[in-house]
Amino acid sequence: MDQDEALTTVDNIVTQFNTYEDFLDSQITTLDLYYLEDEGLARQLVELGYRGTGEVVKREDFEARKAAIEIARLAERTQKKTLTSAGKDLHDNFLKALAVREEDNRSGKVSSVIFIRDKNSHGQEVSGYIDYAHRLKTEDFEVYFSGKKRLLPRPTDMSFYNWDSHIAIWNSTPNYQVIADNPEGLLFKYKRDRKILNVDPKAQPGDNSTRSPILTELYTQVVIFDHVSRRKT
């Protein structure tokens, strides 16, 4: 039996029996118990390969595969649970762009900053920069991906500006430090690798960062900045 076949055999056994003892018991015949008169001894003989009606599987192999299968199952369930964009029929480019970036922002592989400019529910023009990864951790994006609500900048985001009232607010987040006193414009420092993200459209966004304007029918203007951290964790 080659390695793949052996692994398949173990997987079949692991999924069939809850515990290693259950597997051993399945290999013990009534005749074995009659002659041995000891269930524990019968199990030991099956484990050693001296008794049994099927394949010999070591305890450590059984338990290792059992654990691996359970970890994979939980990981798949967690991913399906946390990716709120999964299974959604998305038509607008902005929502598609958020969906593409959701998993990497949740895992920390990528940190995206979203610039949005549009009118709020009061008809006032607002704009601001949103720490996507932070927002994903602090609120349920189901309402956005399902189209029940529109994602808009808030006074609690990295930056918020109301063009009617001229109110400007800046806030650092767990991921970014806001540098608001820069004479050339707003800057964000990514805390993990201390790289600067420059959101000035006339400048380069910075090391390991990209700037992507999004053509969308939902907003006046959307730009997404993606930063990949190179710091080893």
Side-chain angles (χ1 to χ4, degrees):
M1 182 184 300
D2 61 27
Q3 187 175 358
D4 290 340
E5 290 177 347
L7 192 59
T8 300
T9 299
V10 174
D11 284 352
N12 290 337
I13 292 172
V14 165
T15 54
Q16 186 178 352
F17 300 100
N18 290 327
T19 66
Y20 188 65
E21 283 69 26
D22 290 343
F23 162 67
L24 295 178
D25 289 345
S26 73
Q27 303 293 300
I28 300 171
T29 66
T30 305
L31 194 61
D32 289 334
L33 290 176
Y34 175 78
Y35 284 110
L36 295 172
E37 299 180 347
D38 187 328
E39 186 179 42
L41 178 59
R43 284 178 174 176
Q44 290 180 17
L45 292 175
V46 172
E47 188 169 355
L48 293 170
Y50 294 117
R51 285 287 188 276
T53 58
E55 297 293 336
V56 177
V57 177
K58 295 181 180 179
R59 182 182 293 272
E60 56 265 29
D61 291 340
F62 180 95
E63 293 178 349
R65 287 304 297 162
K66 192 78 171 177
I69 290 173
E70 179 66 11
I71 290 172
R73 185 184 67 82
L74 290 174
E76 182 179 3
R77 188 175 69 180
T78 301
Q79 184 181 43
K80 289 180 179 179
K81 182 179 179 180
T82 57
L83 290 182
T84 49
S85 61
K88 299 290 191 300
D89 186 17
L90 306 174
H91 298 287
D92 187 80
N93 290 334
F94 174 62
L95 295 179
K96 290 179 181 178
L98 291 188
V100 167
R101 292 165 170 82
E102 183 184 3
E103 183 175 3
D104 284 346
N105 271 267
R106 287 190 184 277
S107 67
K109 293 180 180 178
V110 174
S111 178
S112 299
V113 173
I114 307 165
F115 172 78
I116 292 177
R117 181 167 64 91
D118 203 55
K119 291 186 177 182
N120 61 19
S121 58
H122 302 292
Q124 300 171 321
E125 185 172 355
V126 296
S127 64
Y129 292 90
I130 298 170
D131 181 344
Y132 186 31
H134 181 54
R135 278 273 208 124
L136 282 170
K137 288 183 178 180
T138 56
E139 66 177 303
D140 186 0
F141 264 63
E142 172 71 26
V143 292
Y144 302 123
F145 285 118
S146 62
K148 295 177 182 178
K149 290 178 64 177
R150 290 193 313 139
L151 180 66
L152 283 172
R154 297 173 176 173
T156 53
D157 281 313
M158 295 169 67
S159 81
F160 174 84
Y161 185 68
N162 186 309
W163 292 81
D164 289 17
S165 63
H166 303 292
I167 294 175
I169 301 174
W170 297 275
N171 304 284
S172 294
T173 70
N175 300 313
Y176 287 93
Q177 176 187 343
V178 178
I179 304 174
D181 57 357
N182 177 50
E184 297 180 0
L186 200 60
L187 299 174
F188 302 117
K189 180 188 287 187
Y190 189 54
K191 293 181 178 180
R192 185 177 297 180
D193 61 10
R194 305 184 65 81
K195 297 291 186 181
I196 297 295
L197 175 64
N198 191 335
V199 294
D200 184 346
K202 298 179 181 179
Q204 292 297 316
D207 293 343
N208 308 323
S209 297
T210 58
R211 181 182 188 274
S212 303
I214 307 296
L215 295 176
T216 171
E217 297 180 357
L218 301 178
Y219 301 91
T220 302
Q221 183 182 8
V222 171
V223 179
I224 299 180
F225 299 85
D226 296 308
H227 178 74
V228 180
S229 175
R230 299 302 184 190
R231 179 178 178 181
K232 296 181 179 179
T233 56

